[in-house]
Amino acid sequence: MKKIILDCDPGMDDSMAIVMAVKSSELDVLAITTVNGNYPVDVTSTNARKVLELLDRTDIPVARGMANPMIRKSPSDPFTHGRDGQAEAYLPEPAMELSEIDAVDMIIQLVKENPGEVTLVVTGPMSNVAMAMQKAPEIKGMIAEIIAISGAFGLNQYAFLNATGDTPQSEWNVYVDPEAAKIVYESGVKVIALGLDVATYFDVNFSEEDIDALKASKKKEAAFLTNAIQFVNKRGFDAYCTVIDCMAVAYAIDPSLVQTIDAHVGVETKDGLTLGMTVIDRRHHFVWEHLPVISVGCKAECGRFLQLLLELVLK
Ligand code: BDR
Ligand code: CA
C-alpha cells in the first residue's frame, strides 16, 4: 500500500477525494491535514472529520493547518461549495477530535517516521506543505513525491476555460497561495502538478446509468455525490466540479490515468492580471533553465478515471 497524507481544504471535491482515498485498498491514509482555501481552516477541518465519520474511519487523524496563505490575505472564492462547504449536504457535526498536533508538524513527523515512503496528495493551497519545508528543510529529501491539484498550464482548451482562480488564467489552489506553490515547485521534491488541463473537462461526464447507480446505492457517500452533482447543476456548472480533486487521488492509485511531461514552470506572484499563473516554458530555444522542472499532467483518461471513482464510491 502506498502511504499518503491527504492535504486538503474540503470543499465538496476534496470531500470526494477523501472518500476515494480512504476506500481504496491501494492507499494507506496516514493522516488528513487541512488548510485554508475553499473555506476557512476551521470549516475545512470540520468537513474533513464529517467525511471520516460518514465513512466510519475516525481512526485516521485529522490535523488542522494554516489559517492563512504564507504572506497574503485569503481571497474569497467566486465559485461556491455551498453554505457548509459540502454542497449543502449538512452532514452531522463531527464528534471526533482534531489531532493535538497541527498539520505542519504532522507532515514533518510522518515524513520523518517514514523516510522516502510518504506521498503527499495535495488538493488545496500548498501553505501547509511549504511551511513544513521551511520549518524542517530536511524533510525535502524524505518525501516520496507530491501529487497536487495545482495550476493551469494551457495545454488544452480546458485549462483556461475552466480557470478557477480569480484571474483569467489561474487555478484556485495556486491563486490563493502562489508563494507556497513557488516554494514547493522549487523544493527539488518530485512534484506532479495535475492542473485544470487534466482535472476538469466538459466532454466526459457521468452518464445517466452512473447517476442511477449512485441514486440506487445505500451508501451515504453515493448520496453525498448525487447531492453535490445536483447542487452544481442547479448553479449552471457541470458535474466535473464535484470531483476535480479526485484526480489527484486517482493518480496516486493508478498513475497510468494521466500522461505527464516534465517542463520548466514558474509561478507568478505579482498582483494583478497574472497573479497565480503557472507559466510553462517549453520553448525550443532560450528556455529559462533557472525555473524548476516539475511533471505536468497533459492528458487524462477521463473515462477510466470516472470508472475508478464510481467503483470506490459504490464499494
Ligand atoms: C481547486 O479549487 C477548489 O475549489 C477545488 O477544491 C480544487 O482543489 C481547483 O482549482
Ligand atoms: Ca480543493
Side-chain angles (χ1 to χ4, degrees), residues 9 13-14 38 123-124 173 245:
D9 62 336
D13 55 334
D14 304 78
N38 288 319
T123 63
N173 294 333
D245 287 338

Side-chain angles (χ1 to χ4, degrees), residues 238-252:
D238 288 287
Y240 74 83
C241 297
T242 63
V243 296
I244 294 173
D245 287 338
C246 295
M247 190 57 95
V249 174
Y251 185 89

Side-chain angles (χ1 to χ4, degrees), residues 6-208:
L6 179 51
D7 187 62
C8 58
D9 62 336
M12 60 177 118
D13 55 334
D14 304 78
S15 299
M16 288 311 302
I18 295 173
V19 169
M20 271 187 94
V22 167
K23 292 184 80 175
S24 168
S25 51
E26 308 290 322
L27 303 178
D28 178 8
V29 184
L30 300 181
I32 293 179
T33 52
T34 57
V35 69
N36 160 73
N38 288 319
Y39 286 78
V41 72
D42 282 340
V43 177
T44 63
S45 306
T46 298
N47 286 350
R49 287 177 292 152
K50 284 180 176 178
V51 179
L52 287 183
E53 290 199 354
L54 178 139
L55 298 168
D56 212 7
R57 284 302 305 272
T58 52
D59 55 304
I60 299 173
V62 175
R64 177 172 46 203
M66 302 263 292
N68 290 294
M70 300 294 279
I71 60 166
R72 50 181 74 235
K73 282 203 188 120
S74 195
S76 64
D77 190 350
F79 176 78
T80 179
H81 292 243
R83 273 168 288 183
D84 61 349
Q86 292 181 312
E88 302 184 357
Y90 297 116
L91 299 175
E93 283 305 306
M96 78 177 276
E97 301 282 335
L98 280 167
S99 160
E100 276 167 17
I101 64 169
D102 75 9
V104 171
D105 288 336
M106 177 71 88
I107 291 170
I108 294 169
Q109 185 180 306
L110 289 173
V111 168
K112 285 187 172 176
E113 282 172 7
N114 302 274
E117 287 184 52
V118 179
T119 294
L120 303 181
V121 178
V122 183
T123 63
M126 289 176 149
S127 322
N128 287 338
V129 180
M131 189 55 90
M133 287 177 172
Q134 290 208 328
K135 192 170 176 187
E138 66 277 14
I139 65 166
K140 289 190 241 176
M142 304 180 196
I143 298 169
E145 60 183 12
I146 297 173
I147 302 169
I149 298 298
S150 185
F153 299 93
L155 299 173
N156 61 34
Q157 58 174 326
Y158 304 117
F160 301 143
L161 281 175
N162 299 338
T164 46
D166 203 8
T167 49
Q169 297 190 357
S170 65
E171 181 279 322
W172 174 252
N173 294 333
V174 178
Y175 172 76
V176 171
D177 199 346
E179 284 77 14
K182 188 167 187 298
I183 290 168
V184 174
Y185 284 19
E186 291 176 355
S187 66
V189 178
K190 180 169 174 54
V191 174
I192 297 129
L194 305 176
L196 301 177
D197 318 63
V198 291
T200 66
Y201 38 85
F202 290 131
D203 53 351
V204 177
N205 225 324
F206 296 101
S207 66
E208 272 182 36

